[in-house]
Every structure is written in C-alpha cells, then in structure tokens.
Amino acid sequence: MSEPPISRGFRGRGNAARSARVPPGQHLVDDFPVLSAGPTPPVDLPNWRLSIEDGDSPLAEWSWAQFMALPQTDLIVDIHCVTTWSKLDTRWRGVSIDALLEAAGLSEPPQPYVLAHCDGGYTTNIPAEDLLDGKAMVAWEYDGEPLHPEHGGPARLLVPHLYFWKSAKWVQKLQFVDPEVPGFWEENGYHIYGDPWREQRYDGD
Amino acid sequence: MTGIEAAAPALAPKKQWLTATVREVTDETPRVRSLVLDVPGWPGHSAGQHVDVRLTAPDGYQAQRSYSIASAPASGTITLTVEMLPDGEVSSYLAGEARVGDQFELRGPIGGYFVWTPDLEGPLFLVGGGSGIVPLMAILRERAANMMMLRDGGAKGAAQPASLLFSSRSYDDIIYRAELERLAGQGGGLTVTHTLTRGAPAGWAGLSRRIDAMMLTEHGFAPDLMPRIFICGPTPLVETVAFTLRELGHGPKLIKTERFGPTGK
C-alpha cells in the first residue's frame, strides 16, 4: 500500500486528542448531531406499538404503557456515527432486547437475523446475536430526559457497538428473519454489518 | 465465507482512497470556499452524493470528514464547497489553508438516497440553508447540463419546473449568488428565491425571515403535483421545513433530507 500524501500545512489537533476509545477515522464531538433520511415523524404515544415478528407471524406487541412496565435497563456507552463523529459516555434508559424476548416468552431468537422497521419506513438489519446479552435495547430516555423526536423519540433501537445508523430511530417492529435482509442504508451503499472498529463504513469495506 | 457475507447483496469492491490535488480555489463568501480537484481514478458520481476527505499531517496524524460534492456529474470534475466552522479541524484547512497544488485523500462517492437523476419525474423543490446549498447546487448544475442535452432527447426530469428556496444569514453569505442568478435567468423553468435571516442590506426587495409555511406554499409546488423535495441545511431548519411540508400535505416518502450539526436544543 502506498503512503498517503501529506497535506501541506495541516497539523490538526494532533495525536494527543486521540483516545483508545475512538475507532479509526472517527473524531470526538460534545454535541449530538442529527442525521435522518426524511422528516421526523410526529410522536403519538396513544397509538405507539412495539412488536416482534418471526418472519410474518406476530409474536408479541406492547403498547407504550406495557413497554414502560417491562424491566428497564440503564446503559452508559460510546456511540459512533459513520459520518465520523463519536460521542463518549452517552446515558440511556430502555428495555433490553433480552427483556423483550423474555417478555415474549422466547428463550432464544427465533431466527438468526433481525430487520428493524421504523415509523417513516426506515429499516436496518442486524444479526440477532448482536442484540443479545445486554448489547442492545429499545431506548426511550437519553441523558435523563425522554428521547427527543429528532433523536428517535419516543423510542429507538440502541446498538452502540455498531455504527449508529443501526440504532434505528422511531423503531416499531423487530422482525426476525433468515436469510438476512439488507435495510435502508445497507441497500444504499453502506456496509451490511457496520463494525466501527473494523471501519466497515461502506459496501466493500 | 461467513453467513453474513453470504446473505449480503452483491459484494462491492472496497472504495479506495484516491489522491486529490487542488486545481483551483474560489472564495464563495468570506467563510466559504470551493476547491476544484483533480482526482485520477475517480469513478464518477450522482448529484447529491458526498465524499469522505482524509487529511494527513507530517507526523502521520489523520483526520477524516464527509463533504457534499458541489459539481455536476456531467462536468467530469470534483468540486467541494466547504464552510469554515469554528474549531473545524478539517474545514479550517480546506476553507482556509489549502492552496493550488496541495494534496489530500478522497473516498467515494457515498450515499445512494439523497440523489437526483434526470429521469426522476415531477417538479423539483429544493430547500437549502447556508452550506446546505452544496448538494442542491450539484442537482441544479446537473439539471442545467441535462437541459442542454434535452434538445437531443434527454431525460424528462430536467424539463420539469424547479424551485429553489435558499436561506442565508446575510446578502454577503449567499453562496453561489451569481451562478444561481444566471441559472434562473436562462429560461430553464427554474425559480430561485432567497431569504435572509440576519438582516438585509438597504434596498433588499426579497424575503428576510426564517423559512415558514407561507414561504413553502408560495415558492414550492402543490402536494397534488407530487414534487420531489430535497432539503439540506442545519438541523433546526431541516426539522422545521420537513415538518411543515408534511403538515401542508406532502408525502414523507417524497421528502429527502440531509442535516448537519446538532439540534441546537
């Protein structure tokens, strides 16, 4: 591999700004940028539903009140957006996917892959095992406040160990499937898995 | 192969980092610059797509960011238009330090959604704020290039009416002002409307307030015409405009957005 060209006059903030917690090609931000492909859907808690499906068969469905009654988990995690920002120690509360499966009476995922469906039609795919063992949740609180609609409120998927487009905003349904079905960005040039530590940004990375 | 790879669509080749050399630098406004780049091996792009830029310091330190492409695919060149952000590690280099002959790396094109191609039918409504104009300009430049070709039987989308509603802070902050005037003046069914949010110069006859429902109604297209809508700008502007267009009856599937920056809340 050839050496990258030196950008004359560029010094940047230097290596001191790096942290072992920041994946390659990422930089730290203090604010919380917003990225969505379309309009933010209006919040409608009375009609909000979260469901789980095995293929096309419904397995479980929760209203907002039922969802709030499930065991809640607090998580402090670093998040990494494919557009190169990372944010450390973000604080979330929600229901782990383990707790959702348990509430649905499942001891294990019915299929090896998940396609998450969202209000507005957004989808994203994740291997089921990446959602288990406390690695993921459906989050509704951020930094002690109800999750703002721009950031995915009333509730979003949170899968912090993958690039943040996998943490689908406005999530409504987790569909277990086999084989894996590529989601919205995965169909539009982004990586099928999206591990920030292996810099899997785009198809082919 | 693992199960994940087997289930993937067609496996694409990895997008390679290419060396970009600055061919031309143009000041667009006091804080915004365009860089025309020579990028040997560039695979081509669609209007609305972006690239990743990577700078390398002499000590090996690297910094990487995403920027929208400003040039039309038909132009055969890559132009980036970059706004200098306070404390912007990469933007202050691109919009400040970089000179003709300087080099950095570029990877792309990226993004297959916020994209306009001449075969898209329906009127085109573009709403931009500040440097959010950049991908919209690529669309307008591509549309204009196709308009020229239309006489020889080009795609239909270029013949549809188009409207740009563009919010800038001040008159001097209007990016591409002269070119937009020229594009609107060449009789291609394009209307350009400016609004200024932080004070207008004496004699300004145009709009001088934030984008609102009345503006979107007056300068956009009726929902039953099914316009294609592209919105790009700072998050609060995009949130407001997309929400208002939905309220006005536009289908969310026809509204494509690209946001930058935090919520401001």
Side-chain angles (χ1 to χ4, degrees):
Chain A
M1 216 175 90
S2 62
E3 290 289 307
I6 302 297
S7 303
R8 182 205 55 79
F10 175 66
R11 269 183 296 279
R13 292 190 194 116
N15 288 305
R18 303 292 307 170
S19 155
R21 288 165 66 185
V22 181
Q26 297 291 109
H27 67 281
L28 288 178
V29 296
D30 294 323
D31 53 26
F32 194 169
V34 177
L35 290 147
S36 321
T40 296
V43 174
D44 180 12
L45 288 185
N47 291 307
W48 183 90
R49 296 288 181 277
L50 177 68
S51 64
I52 292 184
E53 286 182 3
D54 177 0
D56 293 326
S57 314
L59 293 178
E61 186 181 82
W62 297 274
S63 66
W64 185 255
Q66 290 166 330
F67 173 70
M68 298 308 278
L70 294 172
Q72 303 289 322
T73 302
D74 291 314
L75 207 54
I76 297 180
V77 289
D78 302 343
I79 57 177
H80 311 290
C81 177
V82 72
T83 61
T84 75
W85 58 264
S86 290
K87 193 169 170 58
L88 303 183
D89 298 320
T90 59
R91 205 153 56 89
W92 304 83
R93 171 171 287 183
V95 178
S96 70
I97 309 302
D98 308 292
L100 288 176
L101 290 183
E102 198 185 324
L106 297 164
S107 57
E108 58 183 42
Q111 304 291 343
Y113 300 101
V114 169
L115 187 62
H117 298 260
C118 304
D119 194 356
Y122 181 82
T123 56
T124 190
N125 57 286
I126 305 125
E129 63 174 14
D130 281 86
L131 300 181
L132 303 180
D133 305 322
K135 289 198 288 290
M137 63 162 61
V138 173
W140 60 272
E141 194 181 276
Y142 171 73
D143 210 16
E145 304 277 343
L147 186 58
H148 195 278
E150 291 164 9
H151 289 304
R156 76 184 296 166
L157 196 59
L158 178 68
V159 195
H161 66 287
L162 299 179
Y163 279 126
F164 214 46
W165 87 79
K166 298 283 187 181
S167 293
K169 294 175 181 179
W170 317 303
V171 68
Q172 292 180 323
K173 181 167 74 178
L174 301 178
Q175 183 186 22
F176 287 86
V177 294
D178 190 20
E180 189 161 41
V181 179
F184 176 84
W185 285 120
E186 294 82 0
E187 286 271 25
N188 277 290
Y190 287 77
H191 198 274
I192 192 79
Y193 183 65
D195 178 355
W197 294 97
R198 288 186 278 167
E199 228 183 331
Q200 293 172 336
R201 298 177 192 277
Y202 313 119
D203 198 8
D205 279 352
Chain B
M1 290 218 341
T2 68
I4 293 168
E5 283 163 342
L11 279 181
K14 181 177 164 68
K15 287 182 196 297
Q16 300 296 326
W17 286 104
L18 302 170
T19 297
T21 305
V22 178
R23 188 207 299 170
E24 210 178 296
V25 177
T26 311
D27 288 327
E28 303 284 359
T29 76
R31 298 185 307 126
V32 177
R33 249 182 183 191
S34 291
L35 304 176
V36 182
L37 307 173
D38 286 319
V39 190
W42 177 251
H45 66 281
S46 300
Q49 287 189 296
H50 58 276
V51 292
D52 282 357
V53 167
R54 185 164 75 181
L55 305 182
T56 303
D59 66 358
Y61 172 81
Q62 294 187 319
Q64 184 176 323
R65 300 289 189 277
S66 293
Y67 292 98
S68 290
I69 301 170
S71 45
S75 72
T77 63
I78 293 296
T79 303
L80 303 182
T81 300
V82 179
E83 177 180 17
M84 196 184 292
L85 302 174
D87 203 31
E89 189 181 24
V90 176
S91 70
S92 62
Y93 180 82
L94 296 176
E97 176 70 27
R99 297 177 219 152
V100 171
D102 284 349
Q103 294 191 317
F104 49 85
E105 288 174 294
L106 192 145
R107 193 160 90 109
I110 294 155
Y113 182 69
F114 194 88
V115 160
W116 182 85
T117 53
D119 58 342
L120 282 181
E121 293 186 38
L124 181 61
F125 186 32
L126 309 178
V127 185
S131 58
I133 188 68
V134 177
L136 308 181
M137 194 61 181
I139 292 173
L140 289 178
R141 285 168 168 168
E142 180 69 355
R143 182 178 174 276
N146 276 273
M147 195 82 78
M148 306 286 282
M149 292 187 281
L150 202 59
R151 298 169 201 143
D152 313 319
K156 287 182 206 156
Q160 297 281 347
S163 173
L164 168 69
L165 180 56
F166 184 16
S167 174
S168 303
R169 284 176 210 179
S170 71
Y171 185 78
D172 290 334
D173 284 317
I174 300 176
I175 305 168
Y176 309 132
R177 195 175 60 221
E179 186 178 348
L180 287 171
E181 204 171 310
R182 196 166 65 244
L183 286 175
Q186 64 192 23
L190 169 67
T191 313
V192 173
T193 309
H194 292 287
T195 187
L196 304 178
T197 57
R198 293 195 194 168
W204 174 253
L207 301 165
S208 52
R209 62 182 200 272
R210 291 185 184 279
I211 294 176
D212 55 26
M214 189 192 284
M215 238 184 247
L216 291 167
T217 305
E218 200 166 323
H219 301 285
F221 299 92
D224 58 2
L225 296 174
M226 309 279 282
R228 306 262 172 184
I229 303 171
F230 293 78
I231 312 167
C232 185
T235 297
L237 177 145
V238 175
E239 287 295 325
T240 305
V241 170
F243 178 82
T244 309
L245 286 169
R246 274 188 69 150
E247 297 263 288
L248 291 172
H250 294 275
K253 295 252 187 263
L254 291 175
I255 304 175
K256 299 192 177 190
T257 62
E258 204 146 85
R259 299 159 167 84
F260 50 80
T263 53
K265 289 193 169 121

